[in-house]
């Protein structure tokens, strides 16, 4: 195997450099605590806001502005408060009644700027200077921020049993406006909470169905494939008949004998369906497809049988080594650790700066809008005179030092290390599974000669002997993926350019590197299988795997398509079946468990969560199965080339594969193609 120290030391050096720079200059408080318009943290100990842990938005309706999506900052004054408001009140009403309702004024002013206590100041000036909010609405804290307290009654959205409210500026608004603003700021508030047990139950059912599907593939792989093939042939045959019927039906109708060239391009495509030439073209295309499929089935029937037999053998191998089905959990944990490392380092890098303040005003009327400002000297400048109502508010964290100018480079290095580690975790899983399934194939007597703990033994060998090879393969793939990330970034930055050649060049580069990444993933996957079988280094294993596959290229193509189809069918079956069951459960249409189902206003959110989760669970199980089939296939090809079925060199393949090959393919010279 390749030496480990080069790859591991380089990776550790990059990790240390990024983590040192990030953790020295970063400040995680900027993420843990909400930040008000003055750049102060809400709820931080030993500060004036220690008891004010919640962020309050003066006018949450402004959070529906597209500016939120651009600047990731709601363009309204934000204040730290101790609790969220619990009633509908407008500043106009408070000012009009502050003399005979002092309690209402005392309650309202806690949501005004600190120190403001001038109820006699005109309403127009207060709202212009944003000394107080124009209104407060019943809210509740979510993620340490005040959001409207939504509820639904009889399918109608309400806030404190009201469907409308006064915005404090002379208008009556609908509460749906509040929902839109809240969704723009924190989309999570729009989604009702569903108990973890409901989602866990759906994912558990998906796991059971996935296991059953893999077990049944041993008996149903051939049936499912041939049903699909004959179904496609039947559908195409019906299409040919229908095209001929339409072609014959249009005979003699005026205008039907015109050609497509005669009528030119038409936006209404139904015009083309009135031409005999259109149906003739459809019929020719379908006939060609039908002939190609039938010829492929005739000439590739033996290889299709081999592919189905390998699928059935894969199901049998998983049945003997059931622990492999749960190895994706290990990969998931390793990737979760990588994501956590990347996210923490990225957060420290993103927060390693000083508060940057910008002028917040109407951009169409004020030329100073979005310019940087100093909150301490802002009121002494001419900006407040030229732009009435302008505010100097906190925008983001940044700086002008040399370190801050190169934060993007550090983020790029952090992303590269992340890609490297993730690819290494995936490579470790593939090599481990390949070693376990290879020990099954090369056992003379199955299952008697299979090692006692094949999965753990394979994992130990991969960690002890093949770490350098796996790291090298992951490094190559990570470099290509990083180049793709840079190209996507450049494409995003140059999206507004009018240079057609630049856009064309970027498009070609993105396409080429996408193809290169797919090719490298294919090569790496098979190289890891050869590493697990023979223990050679990465380059040698990749070369031997590539030429072995090229010598069996037809079998590779057939096996790949048959496997992809059956596994895709299984994923759709699992996700669709669990999704239908979840739909009936969340809509309370299953009488037996209707009382256990939660009452939801938006059942499509947990429904989609269950469907996506079920698909990912099925993908995790089926990825093990796909790795099993690929490993068995390479072992099968090696078996054919190295052995001849004699007493001295017996085959290690199963009896079913031996019967399918027959006498004609018992010689290694016949193994090509």
């Amino acid at each position: 195997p390749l030496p480990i120290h080069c790859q591991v030391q380089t990776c550790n050096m990059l990790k240390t450099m990024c983590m040192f720079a990030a953790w020295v200059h970063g400040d995680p408080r900027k993420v843990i605590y909400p930040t008000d318009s003055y750049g102060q943290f809400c709820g931080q100990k030993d500060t004036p806001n220690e008891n004010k842990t919640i962020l309050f938005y003066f006018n949450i309706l402004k959070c529906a502005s597209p500016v939120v999506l651009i600047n990731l900052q709601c363009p309204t004054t934000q204040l730290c408060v101790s609790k969220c408001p619990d009633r509908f009140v407008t500043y106009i009403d408070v000012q009009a009644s502050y003399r005979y309702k002092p309690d209402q004024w005392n309650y309202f002013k806690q949501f005004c700027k600190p120190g403001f206590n001038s109820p006699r100041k005109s309403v127009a000036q207060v709202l212009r200077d944003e000394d107080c909010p124009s209104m407060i609405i019943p809210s509740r804290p979510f993620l340490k921020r005040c959001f409207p307290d939504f509820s639904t009654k009889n399918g109608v959205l309400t806030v404190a049993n009201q469907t409308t409210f006064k915005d404090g500026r002379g208008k009556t608004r609908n509460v749906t406006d509040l929902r839109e603003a809240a969704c723009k700021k924190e989309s999570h508030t729009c989604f009702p909470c569903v108990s973890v047990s409901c989602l866990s139950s759906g994912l558990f059912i998906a796991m059971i169905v996935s296991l059953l599907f893999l077990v049944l593939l041993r008996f149903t792989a051939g049936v499912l494939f041939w049903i699909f093939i004959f179904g496609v042939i039947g559908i195409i045959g019906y299409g040919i008949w229908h095209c001929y019927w339409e072609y014959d039906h249009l005979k003699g109708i005026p205008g039907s004998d015109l050609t497509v060239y005669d009528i030119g391009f038409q936006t209404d495509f139904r015009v083309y369906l009135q031409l005999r030439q259109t149906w003739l073209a459809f019929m020719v295309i379908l006939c060609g497809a039908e002939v190609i499929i039938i010829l492929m089935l005739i000439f590739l029937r033996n290889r299709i049988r081999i592919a189905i037999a390998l699928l059935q053998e894969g199901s049998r191998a998983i049945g003997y080594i059931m622990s492999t089905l749960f190895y994706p959990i290990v990969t998931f944990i390793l990737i979760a650790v990588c994501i956590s490392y990347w996210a923490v380092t990225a957060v420290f890098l993103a927060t390693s700066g000083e508060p940057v303040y910008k002028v917040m005003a109407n951009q169409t009327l004020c030329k100073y809008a979005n310019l940087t400002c100093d909150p301490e000297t802002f009121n002494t400048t001419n900006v407040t005179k030229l732009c009435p109502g302008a505010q100097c508010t906190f925008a983001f964290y940044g700086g002008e030092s040399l370190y801050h100018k190169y934060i993007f480079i550090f983020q790029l290095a952090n992303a590269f290390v992340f890609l490297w580690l993730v690819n290494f975790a995936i490579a470790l899983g593939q090599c481990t599974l390949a070693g376990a399934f290879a020990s099954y194939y090369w056992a003379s007597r199955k299952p008697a000669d299979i090692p006692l703990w094949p999965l753990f033994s394979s994992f130990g060998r991969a960690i002890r002997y093949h770490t350098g090879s796996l790291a090298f393969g992951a490094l190559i793939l990570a470099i290509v993926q990083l180049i793709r990330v840079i190209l996507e970034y450049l494409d995003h930055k140059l999206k507004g350019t009018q240079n057609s050649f630049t856009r064309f060049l970027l498009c070609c580069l993105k396409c080429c590197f996408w193809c290169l990444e797919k090719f490298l993933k294919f090569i790496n996957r098979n190289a890891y299988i050869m590493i697990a079988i023979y223990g050679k280094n990465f380059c040698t294993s990749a070369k031997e795997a590539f030429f072995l596959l090229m010598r069996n290229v037809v079998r590779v193509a057939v096996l790949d398509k048959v496997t992809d189809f059956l596994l895709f069918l299984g994923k759709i079956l699992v996700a669709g079946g669990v999704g239908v069951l979840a739909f009936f459960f969340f809509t309370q249409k299953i009488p037996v468990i209707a009382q256990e189902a939660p009452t939801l206003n938006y059942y499509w959110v947990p429904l989609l969560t269950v469907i996506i989760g079920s698909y990912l669970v099925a993908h995790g199980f089926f990825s093990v199965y796909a790795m099993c089939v690929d490993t068995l296939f390479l072992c099968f090809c090696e078996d054919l080339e190295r052995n001849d079925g004699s007493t001295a060199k017996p085959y290690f393949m199963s009896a079913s594969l031996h019967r399918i090959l027959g006498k004609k393919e018992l010689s290694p010279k016949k193994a090509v193609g």
Side-chain angles (χ1 to χ4, degrees):
L2 289 176
I4 300 174
H5 64 277
C6 295
Q7 291 85 3
V8 176
Q9 286 183 358
T10 304
C11 185
N12 287 335
M13 181 179 65
L14 285 173
K15 284 195 299 183
T16 304
M17 180 178 65
C18 290
M19 292 174 65
F20 178 79
W23 291 10
V24 167
H25 298 278
D27 188 354
R29 297 177 304 171
K30 300 169 184 177
V31 177
I32 298 174
Y33 301 103
T35 307
D36 63 11
S37 296
Y38 306 101
Q40 299 174 348
F41 302 124
C42 298
Q44 185 182 359
K45 292 183 178 181
D46 301 327
T47 65
N49 292 332
E50 181 176 358
N51 297 322
K52 300 178 179 180
T53 60
I54 308 171
L55 190 67
F56 170 74
Y57 299 96
F58 266 35
N59 187 359
I60 197 170
L61 292 172
K62 289 186 177 181
C63 296
S65 169
V67 178
V68 179
L69 302 178
I70 299 173
N71 299 328
L72 301 177
Q73 186 75 8
C74 187
T76 185
T77 300
Q78 301 166 32
L79 196 68
C80 296
V81 296
S82 58
K83 61 180 181 180
C84 296
D86 58 6
R87 65 196 73 171
F88 280 110
V89 183
T90 64
Y91 182 78
I92 296 176
D93 295 337
V94 170
Q95 191 196 48
S97 60
Y98 80 93
R99 291 183 178 179
Y100 55 89
K101 290 185 179 180
D103 293 340
Q104 190 174 27
W105 166 250
N106 291 331
Y107 177 80
F108 192 91
K109 73 177 183 180
Q110 65 180 319
F111 303 105
C112 298
K113 289 182 177 178
F116 179 79
N117 193 18
S118 304
R120 295 183 180 181
K121 188 176 181 180
S122 68
V123 175
Q125 290 180 337
V126 170
L127 299 183
R128 184 197 65 187
D129 298 336
E130 291 200 2
D131 294 321
C132 289
S134 63
M135 61 172 180
I136 59 175
I137 57 177
S139 307
R140 58 181 174 181
F142 180 77
L143 297 177
K144 296 184 178 182
R145 290 162 175 82
C146 291
F147 288 102
D149 189 7
F150 294 111
S151 61
T152 304
K153 290 189 176 181
N154 299 324
V156 179
L157 185 68
T158 63
V159 174
N161 296 323
Q162 295 187 27
T163 57
T164 59
F165 65 96
K166 296 179 180 179
D167 65 357
R169 298 178 183 271
K171 294 182 180 180
T172 301
R173 309 285 290 266
N174 195 291
V175 295
T176 54
D177 297 336
L178 291 174
R179 181 178 64 179
E180 180 182 355
C183 287
K184 281 286 182 68
K185 186 59 187 171
E186 291 289 345
S187 60
H188 302 85
T189 60
C190 302
F191 303 150
C193 296
V194 180
S195 62
V196 177
S197 60
C198 296
L199 301 180
S200 301
S201 300
L203 299 183
F204 179 76
I205 294 173
M207 183 183 70
I208 298 300
V209 175
S210 300
L211 286 172
L212 290 176
F213 185 82
L214 290 180
V215 173
L216 291 176
L217 273 181
R218 185 188 305 184
F219 312 101
T220 60
V223 176
L224 289 175
F225 178 78
W226 289 116
I227 287 176
F228 172 77
I229 290 296
F230 287 118
V232 170
I233 292 175
I235 292 173
I236 295 177
Y238 170 78
I240 294 172
W241 174 84
H242 182 77
C243 291
Y244 175 77
W245 183 86
E246 291 284 355
Y247 176 79
D248 185 67
H249 180 71
L250 291 173
K251 186 177 181 180
I253 297 178
S256 63
D257 291 328
L258 294 174
T259 64
V260 175
Y261 179 79
D262 293 334
I263 64 174
F265 177 76
Q266 300 291 329
T267 56
D268 187 0
F269 290 99
R270 290 177 296 180
V271 174
Y272 297 106
L273 300 181
Q274 308 302 319
L275 304 179
R276 299 185 71 201
Q277 187 186 58
T278 302
W279 293 105
L280 179 62
F282 286 161
M283 185 169 60
V284 171
I285 294 172
L286 291 177
C287 287
E290 187 89 330
V291 170
I292 291 174
I293 292 176
I294 293 174
L295 290 176
M296 288 178 62
L297 289 176
I298 293 173
F299 290 104
L300 300 177
R301 65 188 185 279
N302 206 41
R303 289 174 175 82
I304 293 175
R305 292 174 62 199
I306 294 174
I308 294 174
L310 282 171
L311 289 170
Q312 295 171 337
E313 191 70 14
S315 179
R316 189 177 295 108
I318 290 177
Y320 289 130
I321 316 175
M322 290 292 291
S323 57
T324 55
L325 289 175
F326 300 97
Y327 185 84
I329 298 176
V330 178
T331 303
F332 173 79
I333 293 174
L334 292 176
I335 293 178
V337 171
C338 297
I339 294 175
S340 301
Y341 153 76
W342 167 79
V344 170
T345 307
V347 165
F348 271 88
L349 286 172
T351 57
S352 56
E354 299 297 327
V356 175
Y357 298 86
K358 288 193 174 183
V359 178
M360 184 178 65
N362 191 328
Q363 297 184 20
T364 59
L365 300 177
C366 181
K367 64 179 181 179
Y368 297 100
N370 287 330
L371 295 180
T372 56
C373 58
D374 185 354
E376 296 181 357
T377 61
F378 180 73
N379 292 328
T380 62
T381 62
N382 293 328
V383 177
T384 55
K385 297 179 181 179
L386 298 175
C387 303
Q391 302 284 329
C392 183
T393 60
F394 167 77
F396 54 87
Y397 292 97
E400 299 296 332
S401 66
L402 183 65
Y403 166 76
H404 293 108
K405 291 181 180 179
Y406 287 95
I407 281 183
F408 177 76
I409 303 299
F410 284 108
Q411 290 282 23
L412 210 59
N414 185 37
F416 173 69
V417 174
F418 167 71
L419 294 173
W420 193 353
L421 293 176
V422 168
N423 286 316
F424 177 80
I426 295 173
L428 178 62
Q430 292 176 343
C431 188
T432 299
L433 292 172
F437 293 126
S439 65
Y440 163 83
Y441 185 91
W442 298 111
S444 301
R445 297 174 301 168
K446 302 176 179 64
D449 291 341
I450 300 177
L452 184 60
W453 303 103
L455 183 65
F456 294 106
S457 300
S458 178
F459 182 78
R461 290 194 301 271
I463 290 293
R464 183 175 181 181
Y465 300 110
H466 309 315
T467 307
S469 298
L470 301 180
F472 184 70
L475 173 65
I476 297 174
L477 192 56
I479 292 174
V480 174
Q481 290 174 339
L482 183 67
I483 294 174
R484 288 195 63 201
V485 171
I486 296 174
L487 290 175
E488 290 291 343
Y489 175 79
L490 292 176
D491 185 43
H492 176 73
K493 287 295 184 181
L494 300 176
K495 188 163 290 185
T497 183
Q498 300 299 321
N499 192 328
S500 300
F501 176 76
T502 303
R503 294 200 304 269
F504 172 76
L505 181 62
L506 273 176
C507 184
C508 292
L509 289 174
K510 287 166 61 178
C511 179
C512 291
F513 277 97
W514 179 83
C515 295
L516 179 60
E517 181 184 357
K518 294 295 181 183
F519 175 74
L520 286 177
K521 284 183 176 180
F522 174 77
I523 291 297
N524 284 12
R525 182 184 180 90
N526 291 281
Y528 299 146
I529 295 174
M530 298 299 285
I531 289 172
I533 297 174
Y534 295 109
K536 298 179 181 179
N537 62 50
F538 176 82
C539 295
T540 303
S541 299
K543 182 187 70 173
E544 292 181 355
F546 178 76
F547 286 112
L548 179 63
L549 293 173
M550 289 299 100
R551 291 194 296 270
N552 297 271
V553 63
V554 179
R555 285 176 180 155
V556 171
V558 173
L559 178 67
D560 185 59
K561 296 308 174 186
V562 173
T563 305
D564 287 346
F565 161 69
L566 289 179
L567 295 186
F568 175 75
L569 185 65
K571 293 175 186 178
I572 296 300
L573 177 65
V574 173
V578 176
V580 170
L581 184 62
F583 171 78
F584 285 116
F585 174 74
F586 289 128
T587 55
Q588 300 180 347
K589 293 183 179 180
I590 304 178
V592 179
I593 54 176
Q595 295 180 350
E596 303 294 332
T599 302
L600 302 175
N601 302 319
Y602 309 97
Y603 62 83
W604 56 270
V605 177
L607 180 62
L608 286 178
T609 304
V610 170
I611 292 175
I612 294 173
S614 301
Y615 184 86
L616 293 177
V617 169
H619 177 74
F621 282 103
F622 293 166
S623 64
V624 174
Y625 185 78
M627 195 68 198
C628 176
V629 173
D630 289 345
T631 303
L632 296 180
F633 176 71
L634 281 184
C635 292
F636 169 74
C637 295
E638 281 285 301
D639 196 10
L640 282 178
E641 293 193 354
R642 295 179 180 274
N643 302 309
D644 55 10
S646 63
T647 306
K649 294 182 178 181
Y651 286 125
F652 287 85
M653 69 184 70
S654 63
S656 59
L657 283 171
H658 196 283
R659 286 194 301 269
I660 292 173
L661 288 174
K663 296 181 179 180
K664 292 184 179 180
E665 290 206 33
L666 291 181
S667 172
K669 296 180 180 180
K670 299 287 186 177
V672 181

